[in-house]
């Protein structure tokens, strides 16, 4: 179903700049240079991926001597700003890495080339990974890597509390949090983000597992549905019962409290496995991960990045071939070894550590049911209303129903 979304004033102004730039410049509108011709591809990679991508690009250049790849690493802290400026000036690189929250915005600006679905096939990727690159029914991004959230817990403290297996349900999660606090000496039973920017990311596994959504499949606000209200109530109950702390300092690092035992459980992505192994070797054998405890289902959020091609690129054919290389099963398995990013291509999980590691297979299991956030131009503005609602509930300033109704009204004004 087509979804009409009210574009923010900022996006409208950017679109105006983009149109003005396009009127003065030249958009290729086609494939441009053939893939087998000598040419240079420009690529923007963000964060760690941007730093590591040059190694992979060098191998590709060795196999394709007619191709030169210029990789520009960009920090995530300035990535959005640089992409916005480049989009307005119609100077995006041939290929750019975009987080799932970016694609809807830049697709709405008309600066992204639709994915060639004769080359890239949805069934090769995790559904949630593919969905992050889709806006209004059209795919604009090819999944590069994925992540999702699972439960990290201290097995030694669980044993001390008489817990013999990880919690599989909402009821058991709260019971275990209380037991860890009362019997294992933990200051808190679990860490859940209490308020502030992107609290919604901590909330998504509960919202999705309850069967709720911020925006439903028809494109309408749904944050005050019975399922969503139940998720608000349950999430808030951890703070009401003193099982999770109501405030943290900016830059709070949960691993320090996990190491001390003050926080015996938290939800996070695959990167925390590496952090715990490298920074806290004394915890080896004392922690494990488990799928998100279920309500109606065990459904976590999906994250990761997609690779997009600029609508103005004159090197679309070569760009498609390089993205195909980056996202095939073999390259994805090698990329995991280089970066520890979880492959978006499902076939990459069938061999090596990805197939043999019980911990990694938990992430694979969780990705099979994970959900992507809605791909909307003004997603950040929309989810900030959910952040506010969660903060009000967690701090005891509002009931779950009242906070959900307020967020619903605010989000309805942003979506139509």
């Amino acid at each position: 179903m087509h979804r009409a979304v009210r574009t923010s004033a900022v996006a409208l102004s950017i679109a105006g700049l983009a149109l003005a730039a396009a009127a003065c410049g030249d958009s290729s509108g086609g494939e441009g240079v053939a893939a087998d011709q000598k040419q240079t591809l420009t690529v923007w990679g963000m964060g760690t991926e941007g730093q590591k991508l040059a190694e992979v690009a060098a191998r590709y250049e060795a196999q394709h001597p007619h191709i030169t790849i210029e990789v520009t690493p960009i920090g995530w802290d300035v990535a959005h700003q640089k992409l916005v400026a480049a989009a307005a000036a119609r100077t995006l690189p041939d290929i750019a890495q975009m987080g799932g929250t970016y694609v809807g915005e830049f697709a709405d600006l008309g600066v992204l080339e639709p994915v060639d679905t004769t080359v890239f096939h949805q069934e090769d990727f995790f559904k949630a990974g593919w969905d992050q690159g889709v806006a209004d029914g059209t795919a604009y991004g090819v999944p590069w890597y994925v992540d999702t959230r699972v439960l990290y817990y201290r097995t030694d403290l669980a044993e001390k509390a008489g817990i013999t297996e990880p919690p599989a349900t909402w009821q058991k999660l709260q019971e275990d949090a209380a037991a860890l606090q009362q019997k294992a000496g933990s200051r808190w039973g679990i860490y859940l983000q209490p308020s502030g920017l992107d609290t919604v990311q901590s909330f998504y596994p509960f919202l999705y597992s309850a069967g709720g959504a911020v925006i439903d499949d028809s494109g309408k606000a749904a944050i005050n549905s019975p399922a969503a209200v139940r998720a608000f109530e349950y999430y808030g109950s951890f703070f009401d019962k003193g099982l999770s702390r109501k405030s943290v300092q900016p830059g709070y690092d949960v691993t320090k409290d996990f190491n001390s035992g003050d926080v015996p459980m938290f939800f996070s992505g695959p990167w925390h496995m590496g952090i715990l192994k490298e920074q806290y070797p004394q915890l080896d054998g004392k922690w494990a991960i488990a799928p998100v405890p279920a309500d109606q289902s065990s459904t976590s959020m999906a994250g990761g990045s997609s690779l997009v091609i600029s609508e103005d690129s004159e090197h679309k054919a070569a760009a498609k071939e390089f993205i195909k290389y980056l996202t095939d099963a073999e390259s994805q398995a090698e990329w995991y070894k280089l970066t520890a990013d979880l492959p978006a291509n499902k076939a990459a999980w069938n061999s090596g550590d990805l197939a043999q590691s019980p911990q990694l297979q938990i992430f694979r299991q969780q990705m099979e049911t994970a959900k992507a956030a809605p791909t909307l131009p003004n997603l950040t503005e929309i989810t900030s209303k959910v952040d506010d609602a969660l903060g009000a509930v967690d701090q005891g300033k509002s009931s779950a129903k009242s906070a959900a109704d307020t967020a619903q009204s605010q989000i309805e004004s942003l979506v139509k």
Side-chain angles (χ1 to χ4, degrees), residues 249-268:
Q249 294 297 318
Y252 171 70
D253 180 1
V254 71
T255 63
K256 294 180 180 178
D257 284 340
F258 191 68
N259 176 52
S260 70
D262 282 348
V263 170
M265 295 192 292
F266 68 97
F267 290 91
S268 191

Side-chain angles (χ1 to χ4, degrees), residues 8 28 66 75 110 156 167 182 190 208 222 241 256 270 287 298 319 322 325 329 357 395:
S8 68
S28 69
H66 63 289
D156 58 335
Q182 296 163 11
I190 191 171
Y208 294 155
K241 295 178 180 181
K256 294 180 180 178
W287 63 273
S298 170
F322 185 47
Y325 173 80
S357 167
Q395 304 305 312

Side-chain angles (χ1 to χ4, degrees), residues 1 26 36 54 62 79 97 159 167 201 205 209 240 245 303 345 363 395:
M1 177 176 290
D26 177 37
D36 59 356
Q97 174 188 357
E159 183 179 358
Q201 294 194 13
S209 292
D240 184 55
R245 58 194 305 168
N345 189 316
F363 279 102
Q395 304 305 312

Side-chain angles (χ1 to χ4, degrees), residues 170 200 203-218 220-234 293-302 369-374 386 404 408 411:
W170 276 14
V200 67
F203 181 58
Y204 276 140
F206 300 95
L207 177 66
Y208 294 155
S209 292
V214 177
I215 306 294
D216 67 19
D217 291 340
S218 69
K220 296 180 180 179
I223 199 61
N224 70 342
S225 69
V229 172
R230 186 169 69 254
F232 272 115
E233 290 173 342
Y234 179 71
D295 180 45
Q296 300 302 304
S297 65
S298 170
T299 306
S300 193
M301 66 164 286
T369 61
K371 287 187 64 175
V386 185
Q408 176 76 11
I411 293 172

Side-chain angles (χ1 to χ4, degrees), residues 12 58 62 92 98 132 143 169 206 232 244 249-250 272 290 324 379:
L12 285 171
L92 282 170
M98 285 192 177
Q132 289 180 83
T169 65
F206 300 95
F232 272 115
S244 188
Q249 294 297 318
H272 262 120
K324 183 67 175 175
L379 179 62

